[in-house]
Amino acid sequence: GVVSENVLMTPDGVDQLCTAAYAALMGPNPQDWSVWWYPTTHWTTGAVRADDALKGGGGTGDGFETHRLETFTLDATDGVTDSKWYHLYVSVQRCNSALKVLNECSEEQVPTKAVRIAEMRVLRAHYFFELQRMFNQIPWFDETVAEKDVATIPNNQFSREELLEKIAAEIEAAITSLPQTQSEVGRVNSYMAKAYLAKVYLYRAYEQNAQTHAVTAINKTYLEKVVNLC
């Protein structure tokens, strides 16, 4: 069966959708073997590639995808990379599902509507930020795009700078609706959003060549924004 959106247009229903988006911070399926091969911690795609960690295990054939990351022999057939892409877009779509219902709710139905929308926009910005810095060119879509149309969106519609600008705009729009503290530990607040926005502007400040990814310039205006946010 399929849960009707009308059923979810209550404080409890909306909270369940929002909780699902938060739960994706551990990975959409955190209890299966995926925690080792495409974790949210980036020990495979970050620490192993940077030589800060070794794959270990029972030889190069044990977790061979991570060995390929370690030795820079990765190609488009790699299943771990594909699964990382899939999981992050599942996470994006969880935020979209929550936002779609929130947009249709009234303040009377969901008194926390404005804050929850802001939380979901920051979370979605996080998932898109992870996608952009891992894959560079990515499809961008929000809750207004029908699920059947998602597959038609190209991955070269926006440049790196344009994607980072959209991510920053998501967080900036959310900050004004977020409280400084939340009664429930772990929910996004304005300080967390400002800290993340500083991180996005730090990445934006180091402009890159689209083909080689070499740093071509350092934007001092963006760096000043980082300092001010921090």
Side-chain angles (χ1 to χ4, degrees):
V2 178
V3 178
S4 166
E5 287 183 1
N6 292 331
V7 173
L8 296 169
M9 292 174 70
T10 64
D12 288 342
V14 166
D15 269 346
Q16 290 191 44
L17 288 171
C18 293
T19 298
Y22 273 105
L25 289 167
M26 291 179 63
N29 298 301
Q31 300 306 317
D32 64 20
W33 61 272
S34 68
V35 294
W36 294 106
W37 306 124
Y38 31 100
T40 57
T41 58
H42 290 294
W43 77 264
T44 49
T45 53
V48 167
R49 290 174 69 205
D51 205 25
D52 291 334
L54 296 175
K55 179 191 73 64
T60 58
D62 181 8
F64 70 94
E65 294 96 343
T66 307
H67 172 68
R68 293 175 74 185
L69 280 166
E70 194 170 41
T71 55
F72 296 93
T73 54
L74 200 66
D75 61 30
T77 66
D78 182 67
V80 167
T81 309
D82 176 69
S83 295
K84 182 70 174 178
W85 171 283
Y86 171 77
H87 268 206
L88 282 169
Y89 270 112
V90 168
S91 303
V92 166
Q93 199 67 332
R94 287 193 184 185
C95 297
N96 286 340
S97 295
L99 284 164
K100 188 175 181 182
V101 172
L102 279 163
N103 290 340
E104 295 173 0
C105 289
S106 65
E107 295 279 356
E108 289 72 27
Q109 289 172 300
V110 181
T112 57
K113 174 180 176 176
V115 175
R116 294 294 179 264
I117 286 175
E119 290 175 26
M120 292 301 101
R121 292 188 74 173
V122 173
L123 280 184
R124 183 171 62 186
H126 161 68
Y127 297 131
F128 270 127
F129 183 70
E130 290 286 273
L131 281 160
Q132 193 289 315
R133 70 191 186 117
M134 280 198 64
F135 298 102
N136 191 32
Q137 291 185 296
I138 60 169
W140 176 280
F141 55 92
D142 61 17
E143 73 276 13
T144 65
V145 177
E147 191 173 335
K148 64 180 178 60
D149 296 328
V150 168
T152 67
I153 299 171
N155 74 330
N156 59 356
Q157 189 176 10
F158 302 107
S159 67
R160 172 184 183 269
E161 168 57 20
E162 287 171 333
L163 286 165
L164 291 175
E165 183 179 10
K166 291 173 82 67
I167 291 166
E170 282 275 279
I171 302 173
E172 286 174 331
I175 285 173
T176 55
S177 297
L178 287 167
Q180 292 182 348
T181 59
Q182 295 264 32
S183 59
E184 295 176 302
V185 175
R187 286 199 182 275
V188 175
N189 60 38
S190 61
Y191 290 119
M192 177 267 166
K194 288 177 182 177
Y196 210 115
L197 184 59
K199 184 175 182 177
V200 174
Y201 270 105
L202 186 62
Y203 272 70
R204 289 184 75 184
Y206 289 84
E207 299 170 8
Q208 294 182 359
N209 180 290
Q211 279 70 49
T212 66
H213 311 301
V215 175
T216 56
I218 299 175
N219 188 312
K220 292 185 178 180
T221 301
Y222 288 165
L223 286 181
E224 287 175 5
K225 195 167 182 71
V226 173
V227 173
N228 291 335
L229 283 163
C230 289

